Amino acid sequence: MDYSVVIPVYNEEKNIATLYQRLSSVMKSLKKDYELIFVNDGSTDRTLFLLAELHKKDAKVKIINFSRNFGHQMALTAGLKFTQGELVAVIDADLQDPPEILPDFFKKIDAGYDVVYAVRKKRKENFLLKFAYNCFYRLLKKMADIDIPLDAGDFCVMRKPVVETLNKLPERNRYLRGLRSWVGFKQTGLSYDRQARYAGRSKYSLTKLIKLAFDGIFSFSYLPLQLMFYGGLASLFFSFLGVIWAVYQKFFTSNYQRVPGFATTIILVMFIGGLQLFSLGIVGEYMRRIYDETKQRPSYVIESTIGF
Ligand code: UDP
Ligand code: MG
């Protein structure tokens, strides 16, 4: 097998026909052997039915069917495990990543790279979301222990050894674009204009987006823990200064009096209390991840596969 394409799908009934048509014509034009692996992430619409119909007509279409919705990153993880191609492409089902640029990826790989990831030059999304994405990627870049490229999503092409390395990582709360950087090898970016969604609405709810962002930060950075430590240290230092000041006032100045400082006291108590809860929350995020790993629960359940 030369090429594998992994496509996670969650309620994408309106996109599948066009995606299949555009993707197939690109792949056919390359005149190599290929497979299209669709991972149905618990769709509740006609997605699975449409995929099964495609498989009947075209054996290159293969389907992994999850028992429920396990999330985009899990769908990708499962898809990658089933790939047989020497080169593996990962692409969204909503045509935000145009399949027509895949040949450019393959060319770059042939030029001697192991991973070619897509970098978003422009996004066609609403202003607030764009702003949030921008901030997040820059924050992550500053915080992460490894060098995660800016504005690079999951859209990419990888050589088999890279995929095999990714498949061996047992981590459960996966932030694949981070893990992809983590594995190393020779990587390069390819910029493209991210298109608007072809049909339907984004399947990333706000909670899913926040989870993904947290996975990015907490899986690749210890900075939150360090900041807590330094925050605590700074607060200790200032309270110590306060004690010295109070003692000095009491013993060495004649006009010492108990000033009414109710508001200050309450605000300080709330501030310290808030800081402590916030810090506890950060520790909790790391702990949740440790707990997830120790439970040893599988990250997804495959109900059926078609075409393998
Ligand atoms: N997706 C998935 N499971 C989910 C959410 C999304 O498999 O729980 C798929 C979705 O069908 C699409 C890709 O992941 O192919 C990217 O999702 P989406 O386009 O909704 O995200 P966005 O582009 O808005 O970040
Ligand atoms: Mg999308």
Side-chain angles (χ1 to χ4, degrees):
M1 186 72 65
D2 299 310
Y3 300 134
S4 301
V5 185
V6 176
I7 313 132
V9 279
Y10 177 45
N11 292 344
E12 304 281 10
E13 57 180 6
K14 295 205 191 87
N15 293 317
I16 284 183
T18 317
L19 171 74
Y20 169 74
Q21 190 225 321
R22 280 174 58 181
L23 194 57
S24 297
S25 67
V26 170
M27 295 309 290
K28 269 185 204 140
S29 71
L30 295 168
K31 308 243 185 306
K32 294 258 177 81
D33 199 14
Y34 70 92
E35 59 180 0
L36 307 178
I37 301 180
F38 287 88
V39 187
N40 174 36
D41 187 13
S43 300
T44 50
D45 63 358
R46 292 171 65 241
T47 297
L48 181 62
F49 170 77
L50 294 174
L51 289 175
E53 290 294 298
L54 281 182
H55 168 73
K56 278 184 206 156
K57 280 189 284 175
D58 182 353
K60 294 195 186 321
V61 173
K62 302 177 181 179
I63 307 164
I64 301 169
N65 188 32
F66 277 3
S67 62
R68 65 168 170 84
N69 181 252
F70 282 95
H72 181 207
Q73 301 293 304
M74 284 306 121
L76 288 179
T77 304
L80 289 180
K81 289 228 163 100
F82 279 78
T83 56
Q84 291 174 324
E86 290 304 316
L87 296 184
V88 176
V90 170
I91 192 167
D92 279 359
D94 57 1
L95 293 160
Q96 282 197 285
D97 313 326
E100 288 75 19
I101 62 175
L102 279 176
D104 298 339
F105 281 74
F106 295 134
K107 258 182 231 145
K108 268 222 151 146
I109 291 265
D110 287 339
Y113 289 98
D114 299 302
V115 177
V116 182
Y117 52 83
V119 178
R120 293 144 185 182
K121 256 192 301 193
K122 264 195 241 141
R123 284 176 179 273
K124 291 188 181 130
E125 266 143 335
N126 81 50
F127 168 76
L128 222 69
L129 206 58
K130 266 197 242 179
F131 179 72
Y133 277 125
N134 254 317
C135 293
F136 169 71
Y137 279 117
R138 271 136 201 94
L139 184 74
L140 182 63
K141 172 124 186 131
K142 284 260 179 315
M143 289 177 74
D145 305 328
I146 53 165
D147 200 15
I148 301 180
L150 281 175
D151 301 317
D154 290 319
F155 189 21
C156 68
V157 172
M158 300 173 277
R159 265 186 213 280
K160 196 177 192 136
V162 179
V163 176
E164 279 168 350
T165 314
L166 280 175
N167 288 345
K168 275 190 219 130
L169 303 179
E171 197 161 329
R172 264 147 244 262
N173 292 286
R174 290 171 97 82
Y175 184 71
L176 270 171
R177 40 199 98 159
L179 293 175
R180 189 184 59 208
S181 304
W182 181 88
V183 297
F185 293 91
K186 272 188 88 183
Q187 310 211 358
T188 186
L190 191 95
S191 36
Y192 79 118
D193 291 329
R194 189 152 164 91
Q195 306 297 308
R197 212 173 213 284
Y198 180 73
R201 293 181 53 190
S202 172
K203 302 302 177 304
Y204 260 95
S205 59
L206 189 65
T207 38
K208 274 185 185 166
L209 264 184
I210 292 176
K211 162 135 193 354
L212 184 68
F214 274 28
D215 281 342
I217 289 174
F218 292 108
S219 302
F220 290 96
S221 173
Y222 302 113
L223 193 68
L225 287 175
Q226 284 161 336
L227 285 182
M228 268 167 56
F229 179 79
Y230 292 121
L233 214 60
S235 137
L236 268 180
F237 176 73
F238 283 116
S239 64
F240 195 67
L241 285 187
V243 170
I244 294 173
W245 179 77
V247 170
Y248 175 80
Q249 291 276 311
K250 171 125 180 122
F251 292 108
F252 299 100
T253 59
S254 51
N255 60 348
Y256 180 75
Q257 46 184 261
R258 287 207 170 75
V259 278
F262 185 71
T264 327
T265 314
I266 292 296
I267 288 170
L268 268 178
V269 168
M270 277 168 60
F271 176 73
I272 299 296
L275 205 67
Q276 281 175 340
L277 276 183
F278 183 73
S279 308
L280 214 62
I282 291 179
V283 177
E285 277 299 323
Y286 287 98
M287 204 193 73
R288 192 178 71 73
R289 275 149 232 277
I290 300 174
Y291 185 47
D292 266 354
E293 299 300 330
T294 54
K295 276 192 292 194
Q296 298 273 315
R297 225 179 250 168
S299 315
Y300 51 81
V301 177
I302 296 176
E303 191 180 307
S304 56
T305 58
I306 303 176
F308 291 97

